[in-house]
Amino acid sequence: KRNIYERSQETMSKQEEQKKEEKRELTEGNWLPLESNPIVLTKFAKRVGLPKGWEFCDIYGTDKELLGMVPQPCAAVVLLFTSSKELKTFKAEQRKEIEEKGQDLSKKLFYITQHDGIGNACGTIATIHAMTNCLDQFEPEGVVKKFMEEWKEKSPSDIGYGLLKAKDIQEVSEDAAESKDAQTATPDRMDNVAAHFIAFVHVEGVLYEMDGRKAFPINHGKTSSKAFLEDAAAVIKKNFFEVSKNGNFNMMALVKP
């Protein structure tokens, strides 16, 4: 039988762990925002592990002719949009419907929750989502590979906390944000930037929306490598352009020309 001291130590240990969880504090990130610029995103992605030959390029619209200008293969789509009342309402209704009906999610998804303390890191998170969820096309290298291997068995929330502490990724992200290739002045790290980056990927034959500010990835149905770009554009047009008619949007594709 265990003595009173051992039981007491075990109880104290459990209480300490509970307090740690309850008082878990964010390491203040306050990351600088990345510009929606394929040159900036490509330089950042290459420095953190994007394999040779891959790059980001602009997508000029959702029409078939404009999508035909995007080089193939296309591994992911990144969308930048400005927040609006309409999009916030749509987001809330979408979450309610999914929570009521449920959805199937691949266990191969690498999904990062964007915690408040990280600041303007959505561009970095969208880029990492794009790089880590196209393993049928390529495997990331460098610090992203290291980060993915360290955190892939954890929950999205834990991965988000892990990113807060990933100073090697933050340093590269900040260099990219202040790059001479940026076409606009870098906002202050304490500024509340109204625009938000998300990514669209295809994993195990399904199109997913990866938005670290949402409660979970969104399953948008079946797709294929060949149909992915057009399928992603159709979802963006329906769920963003048509919902927020006065919003500002910018699309980029992760491609291998």
Side-chain angles (χ1 to χ4, degrees):
K1 291 183 179 180
R2 294 179 299 168
N3 59 36
I4 295 175
Y5 173 77
E6 288 175 330
R7 292 198 298 272
S8 176
Q9 288 293 100
E10 183 179 332
T11 301
M12 288 174 64
S13 176
K14 287 182 180 178
Q15 289 174 342
E16 286 172 5
E17 286 299 317
Q18 188 175 352
K19 286 179 181 178
K20 282 181 184 178
E21 186 63 31
E22 289 173 352
K23 295 181 178 181
R24 194 175 195 179
E25 294 180 355
L26 295 174
T27 303
E28 285 300 325
N30 294 324
W31 293 32
L32 291 171
L34 291 177
E35 184 178 83
S36 182
N37 176 329
I39 297 175
V40 171
L41 249 60
T42 297
K43 284 194 172 182
F44 163 68
K46 284 188 176 297
R47 285 188 61 190
V48 295
L50 183 67
K52 185 177 179 180
W54 290 88
E55 62 184 45
F56 284 93
C57 72
D58 283 312
I59 302 174
Y60 296 106
T62 58
D63 293 342
K64 197 166 186 177
E65 289 182 3
L66 295 174
L67 294 175
M69 297 170 63
V70 177
Q72 292 290 336
C74 174
V77 170
V78 171
L79 171 69
L80 178 75
F81 62 92
T82 50
S83 181
S84 69
K85 270 188 202 178
E86 293 82 4
L87 285 173
K88 287 179 180 177
T89 300
F90 179 84
K91 176 181 174 180
E93 291 173 350
Q94 182 186 56
R95 176 175 180 174
K96 183 181 178 183
E97 181 179 354
I98 291 172
E99 287 178 338
E100 288 175 353
K101 296 182 178 179
Q103 65 173 345
D104 293 324
L105 296 177
S106 169
K107 292 181 179 179
K108 291 186 177 181
L109 288 175
F110 187 78
Y111 184 64
I112 306 169
T113 297
Q114 182 177 339
H115 293 296
D116 291 337
I118 202 167
N120 298 303
C122 58
T124 300
I125 291 173
T127 304
I128 295 174
H129 277 152
M131 291 174 61
T132 56
N133 290 286
C134 50
L135 300 184
D136 60 327
Q137 303 271 12
F138 66 81
E139 290 193 15
E141 304 166 355
V143 294
V144 166
K145 178 182 179 181
K146 176 186 170 187
F147 180 75
M148 186 179 181
E149 288 179 347
E150 182 180 355
W151 292 94
K152 63 184 178 182
E153 301 299 331
K154 305 294 184 182
S155 69
S157 180
D158 283 340
I159 298 172
Y161 285 118
L163 186 62
L164 279 162
K165 298 173 184 177
K167 297 305 176 188
D168 48 359
I169 295 177
Q170 183 178 6
E171 286 171 8
V172 179
S173 177
E174 305 237 319
D175 285 347
E178 297 177 315
S179 166
K180 63 181 180 181
D181 294 307
Q183 297 174 353
T184 56
T186 306
D188 185 86
R189 66 180 65 252
M190 298 304 291
D191 288 350
N192 184 17
V193 178
H196 184 56
F197 278 100
I198 64 174
F200 291 84
V201 299
H202 56 108
V203 176
E204 295 190 308
V206 175
L207 170 62
Y208 289 102
E209 177 184 334
M210 309 289 279
D211 179 350
R213 283 295 192 188
K214 289 190 174 181
F216 31 68
I218 309 296
N219 179 330
H220 285 295
K222 292 182 179 181
T223 190
S224 65
S225 295
K226 187 176 180 180
F228 166 66
L229 179 59
E230 288 190 14
D231 289 343
V235 170
I236 290 170
K237 182 179 180 181
K238 179 182 178 183
N239 292 358
F240 291 87
F241 295 1
E242 293 178 0
V243 171
S244 186
K245 297 185 184 299
N246 296 318
N248 293 317
F249 303 94
N250 190 53
M251 297 183 293
M252 290 178 285
L254 179 56
V255 300
K256 189 177 184 181

